[in-house]
Amino acid sequence: QRLTISSSLAAPPELVWPHITSTAGINEELWPLHMTGPEEGFSREYAKLGRPLFVSVLSLLSVMPIDVHELTLQELEAGEGFHEDSRSLLEKRWVHKRSVRPFEGGSIVVDELEFEPRVFPQLVARIVRKVFERRHAVLRRKFGKLRVDHGWSRERAESAREQAQSVSVATLRVAKGMV
């Protein structure tokens, strides 16, 4: 299963990074789920790349355990992103790449996931999608959604769409030998 989700935030990466790598910030995004982990989160000094960093219990409302996750970081670039390649009781494989980079006066956070559920793959895929949609909604509420104006009026957008369609029709005609 694969999933990519991104959000443009009205805050620079240096404000977003501490949140997205701290256990408190991660739990704020995950709520009503809760993940145990070290207070310091994913600090470069603490990380042992390629080896299990810690074992985390994922629970509902901090009460009902759902999964036990062995978190392993393959890459960690402070202020930029991480690449996690882990496993859990529910997931044979869990690959999570999260990046934050400058974008149009704010930042963009991108989550790329690849996972292999041990059971109920379609149900797990829907749950993972909902969890990450919620995580990004929390990020947008906390840091503000970046509104990017590319200067495109409705007329200009319509014109570009029409030009793209006419090019596609011309390409199709050439391909079919109609010209």
Side-chain angles (χ1 to χ4, degrees), residues 23 42 53 56 73 136 154 159 169 177 179:
T23 301
F42 299 168
L53 186 59
S56 174
L73 291 177
H136 278 258
R154 183 181 201 139
S159 172
V169 169
V179 177

Side-chain angles (χ1 to χ4, degrees), residues 16-43 53-54 56 58 71 73 82 84 96 98 111 131-132 134-136 138-139 142-143:
V16 175
W17 179 257
H19 171 83
I20 67 172
T21 57
S22 72
T23 301
I26 293 166
N27 280 323
E28 184 179 340
E29 293 175 33
L30 285 174
W31 184 257
L33 298 175
H34 180 267
M35 181 184 97
T36 61
E39 237 179 81
E40 58 271 16
F42 299 168
S43 70
L53 186 59
F54 58 88
S56 174
L58 184 67
L71 192 135
L73 291 177
F82 64 82
E84 171 195 355
H96 179 198
R98 184 171 245 199
D111 283 301
V131 166
F132 275 82
R134 184 181 188 301
R135 289 184 76 168
H136 278 258
V138 169
L139 288 172
K142 182 174 189 72
F143 296 107

Side-chain angles (χ1 to χ4, degrees), residues 7-13 100-109 143-152:
S7 291
S8 303
L9 306 176
V100 58
R101 58 186 183 273
F103 180 74
E104 305 271 346
S107 60
I108 185 165
V109 174
F143 296 107
K145 185 176 179 182
L146 185 63
R147 306 241 184 256
V148 180
D149 179 12
H150 293 288
W152 281 54

Side-chain angles (χ1 to χ4, degrees), residues 38-157:
E39 237 179 81
E40 58 271 16
F42 299 168
S43 70
R44 186 75 171 138
E45 302 77 39
Y46 179 73
K48 298 173 195 145
L49 300 181
R51 297 188 310 212
L53 186 59
F54 58 88
V55 174
S56 174
V57 175
L58 184 67
S59 62
L60 181 61
L61 300 170
S62 301
V63 176
M64 188 172 86
I66 297 171
D67 197 9
V68 177
H69 191 89
E70 183 181 78
L71 192 135
T72 303
L73 291 177
Q74 298 300 326
E75 298 173 26
L76 176 63
E77 288 300 322
E80 294 178 20
F82 64 82
H83 170 183
E84 171 195 355
D85 193 341
S86 301
R87 60 190 174 142
S88 75
L89 292 177
L90 295 177
E91 304 286 346
K92 286 182 193 174
R93 186 155 188 241
W94 175 266
V95 177
H96 179 198
K97 296 178 183 177
R98 184 171 245 199
S99 63
V100 58
R101 58 186 183 273
F103 180 74
E104 305 271 346
S107 60
I108 185 165
V109 174
V110 180
D111 283 301
E112 298 173 78
L113 298 150
E114 186 177 330
F115 54 99
E116 189 179 346
R118 294 181 195 272
V119 294
F120 309 116
Q122 299 305 322
L123 176 62
V124 171
R126 283 194 299 258
I127 291 169
V128 168
R129 175 175 293 285
K130 290 293 182 190
V131 166
F132 275 82
E133 286 172 352
R134 184 181 188 301
R135 289 184 76 168
H136 278 258
V138 169
L139 288 172
R140 290 188 300 271
R141 269 195 308 276
K142 182 174 189 72
F143 296 107
K145 185 176 179 182
L146 185 63
R147 306 241 184 256
V148 180
D149 179 12
H150 293 288
W152 281 54
S153 65
R154 183 181 201 139
E155 294 79 23
R156 186 171 173 204

